[in-house]
Amino acid sequence: MDVQLYVYDLTRGMARSMSQQFLGIQIDAVYHTALVLGNVEYFFGAGVQTCYPGTTHHGRPMEIIPIGSTQLPLEVILEYLESLKEVYTPESYDLFAHNCNNFTNDFSMFLVGKGIPDHITSLPRRVLETPFGQMLRPSLEAGMRSVTQAPVPPQNVPIATSRLPTQSNGSPRTGTHPLLGSTNPTLYTKLPPLPKLRAKLDPIPAEFDTLLKFLQHRSASGARDTPLPDLKAIGLAYRTKIADLPLDTRFAAVDLLRCAMIDARFVGYFAEEQGESTVAAVLKHTLELEEKCPHNLRLVSVHLASNLFGSHLYTTELMREGSQVRSQIVELIGTCLLDVDHSTTRVAAACLAYNVAATVWKSREAGTVAVGEGELVELLASLLEALQRNIGSEEGEKALVLAIGYLIDGAEKDGELEDLCAALDAKTALHALEGHQKLVKAVIGML
């Protein structure tokens, strides 16, 4: 689908003729923008809104700019819009700090891999840099509210988008197993001391520094007031520059990426990234280091992989047939469960295995699972082997038992997973556990 940027002037020409007099600078318009694709116009005002192209109260656009095309399916696009709804609420609209152009820029980044023109996104900053701009800000915001947040007449709302999916934040569909409990993923959302990470990366590549500043701003001001950086450039840097960093500092760069994946806009972009996968490139680098891989790099790679399961868009991609990242995750789990020197890595790998297994179970329930049995056998074998060792914590032990339960529940009758459980005497290994007896009994009952 072709993607067009519709550009409107909220002042209908007044800014061009009066800005020099009132602000001391010349501006051509007070911009309102929207993206048009598939004969639908998407914009931010009273929340995320849609209409037929050119049918808002803003009248005809002053300019229509072709910005690229997207091959993404409509259901994926609507799913991403749901994640943006968490950030772009009606209450969060701010004419200068959080407006339609911020939304359009984020949406454009997802669809075509680039933002909208800088002269549009930088206009609020230019106005506020003037004394009169600062003074007039409250009255301008109040005066413009009825213009920027007006509803779209029902007859102008396309039927296909009048009821978007019900999930409000782009997070994975949660659920509860009747015996095993919640299927909520294990995520690693804690932000490390960013100045220390920056010091470890010094001299820090420009793209990594941009990502670090994004995280700092997001931590201080929240996602709503933090525009996305150039995600295409950041992805390219991770695919090409990780190996150039000193081996003992690479974990810091991966940890920045791990932290950013908790932002629904950020993870949504990388879930549907066109071309080579950035996450796949990072995980491949970690795996190819083998014994040379530092413990901290392996650990943050596991945490990065776990955070992918916080996004429904990414879990959908991971469950697709032939997913490269899913295969890498299964390999990473097997490698980390065998790390005899670091219990933290083993526990994190068990939690990642739980994320994978719970997602597989939910996909089975929905009838959409496309994971080959060979991969599941590889994962289950790693889990059963780890169960017979001492993983080092109750948390890790519970994650192993849950992962085994989710993998075998609903598996093919008399299939390879059942055969493996019998061959490795899974019942005996489970009986030998001292804790989590109710959970263990439930899993044994599935065998």
Side-chain angles (χ1 to χ4, degrees):
M1 286 183 286
D2 291 333
V3 182
Q4 295 176 311
L5 178 69
Y6 274 37
V7 184
Y8 300 85
D9 177 12
L10 294 178
T11 69
R12 299 180 184 264
M14 290 178 61
R16 182 187 293 270
S17 61
M18 303 178 68
S19 57
Q20 186 70 48
Q21 176 185 351
F22 281 98
L23 297 175
I25 61 171
Q26 179 64 42
I27 62 175
D28 293 330
V30 175
Y31 298 109
H32 166 81
T33 57
L35 287 187
V36 173
L37 62 150
N39 199 37
V40 177
E41 183 169 344
Y42 299 88
F43 61 98
F44 172 51
V48 176
Q49 297 175 274
T50 60
C51 67
Y52 292 110
T55 63
T56 71
H57 60 288
H58 299 302
R60 296 178 62 83
M62 61 181 288
E63 188 177 9
I64 297 177
I65 305 173
I67 61 169
S69 62
T70 180
Q71 303 302 317
L72 294 172
L74 180 60
E75 60 268 22
V76 170
I77 294 171
L78 295 182
E79 186 79 47
Y80 183 73
L81 278 175
E82 282 299 298
S83 71
L84 291 185
K85 281 186 174 183
E86 181 184 9
V87 177
Y88 292 98
T89 64
E91 302 76 21
S92 71
Y93 189 96
D94 185 299
L95 182 65
F96 290 90
H98 189 67
N99 58 42
C100 56
N101 303 317
N102 301 118
F103 165 81
T104 306
N105 192 68
D106 287 354
F107 195 22
S108 176
M109 188 79 70
F110 175 72
L111 291 172
V112 300
K114 63 181 181 181
I116 65 175
D118 182 67
H119 74 273
I120 295 176
T121 55
S122 64
L123 180 62
R125 174 180 51 79
R126 289 184 58 215
V127 171
L128 292 179
E129 285 174 350
T130 69
F132 276 109
Q134 288 282 1
M135 186 176 68
L136 293 172
R137 178 174 183 172
S139 57
L140 286 173
E141 287 203 272
M144 284 291 188
R145 187 163 297 276
S146 61
V147 177
T148 58
Q149 296 195 277
V152 176
Q155 66 270 20
N156 292 344
V157 178
I159 296 175
T161 63
S162 60
R163 294 188 304 274
L164 297 180
T166 57
Q167 194 74 4
S168 63
N169 59 6
S171 61
R173 271 57 172 165
T174 56
T176 302
H177 189 283
L179 297 176
L180 303 181
S182 172
T183 60
N184 291 343
T186 298
L187 305 176
Y188 299 88
T189 60
K190 185 176 180 180
L191 202 65
L194 294 175
K196 290 185 178 180
L197 275 191
R198 194 189 191 290
K200 290 183 181 297
L201 288 168
D202 192 41
I204 186 170
E207 297 86 356
F208 298 163
D209 193 37
T210 297
L211 180 55
L212 187 145
K213 290 174 180 176
F214 165 76
L215 293 171
Q216 286 177 321
H217 195 286
R218 189 182 189 278
S219 176
S221 305
R224 292 176 182 178
D225 295 326
T226 307
L228 286 175
D230 186 342
L231 300 186
K232 189 173 184 179
I234 288 173
L236 179 61
Y238 271 94
R239 296 193 301 273
T240 59
K241 294 185 178 182
I242 282 284
D244 297 333
L245 298 173
L247 184 59
D248 62 346
T249 67
R250 293 175 197 174
F251 82 94
V254 177
D255 207 28
L256 288 177
L257 189 61
R258 183 270 305 176
C259 293
M261 287 298 176
I262 66 174
D263 187 291
R265 301 166 297 167
F266 194 98
V267 70
Y269 171 84
F270 285 102
E272 302 298 334
E273 189 176 18
Q274 302 300 302
E276 184 184 1
S277 165
T278 295
V279 173
V282 172
L283 296 183
K284 179 183 178 183
H285 177 72
T286 298
L287 289 167
E288 287 183 345
L289 286 172
E290 298 180 339
E291 294 84 0
K292 296 179 182 178
C293 185
H295 161 246
N296 51 15
L297 176 57
R298 186 174 284 127
L299 180 62
V300 296
S301 296
V302 173
H303 290 171
L304 165 64
S306 290
N307 282 0
L308 304 180
F309 291 85
S311 162
H312 183 254
L313 277 175
Y314 221 119
T315 54
T316 300
E317 289 302 309
L318 290 173
M319 290 299 107
R320 294 195 192 282
E321 185 175 357
S323 167
Q324 180 186 12
V325 175
R326 184 187 66 240
S327 298
Q328 292 171 324
I329 288 175
V330 171
E331 183 180 352
L332 185 63
I333 291 169
T335 299
C336 293
L337 287 175
L338 296 176
D339 187 342
V340 297
D341 296 322
H342 303 100
S343 63
T344 53
T345 302
R346 297 195 300 272
V347 172
C351 292
L352 176 56
Y354 155 75
N355 285 355
V356 175
T359 303
V360 168
W361 178 78
K362 286 186 285 188
S363 297
R364 284 183 183 138
E365 291 292 292
T368 59
V369 68
V371 184
E373 193 148 10
E375 272 186 293
L376 299 183
V377 167
E378 180 185 347
L379 178 58
L380 183 59
S382 298
L383 297 174
L384 292 173
E385 184 177 355
L387 196 64
Q388 295 166 359
R389 303 166 179 256
N390 180 12
I391 195 169
S393 81
E394 287 191 9
E395 178 192 5
E397 189 175 90
K398 181 180 180 180
L400 285 178
V401 175
L402 283 169
I404 292 169
Y406 282 119
L407 283 179
I408 61 178
D409 187 33
E412 183 181 346
K413 187 71 175 172
D414 299 323
E416 292 183 51
L417 293 178
E418 283 195 12
D419 290 345
L420 180 64
C421 287
L424 297 183
D425 199 4
K427 285 187 178 181
T428 300
L430 288 164
H431 274 302
L433 299 178
E434 296 181 358
H436 316 292
Q437 287 304 302
K438 184 178 179 180
L439 184 61
V440 167
K441 184 178 179 180
V443 175
I444 290 175
M446 298 174 187
L447 293 171

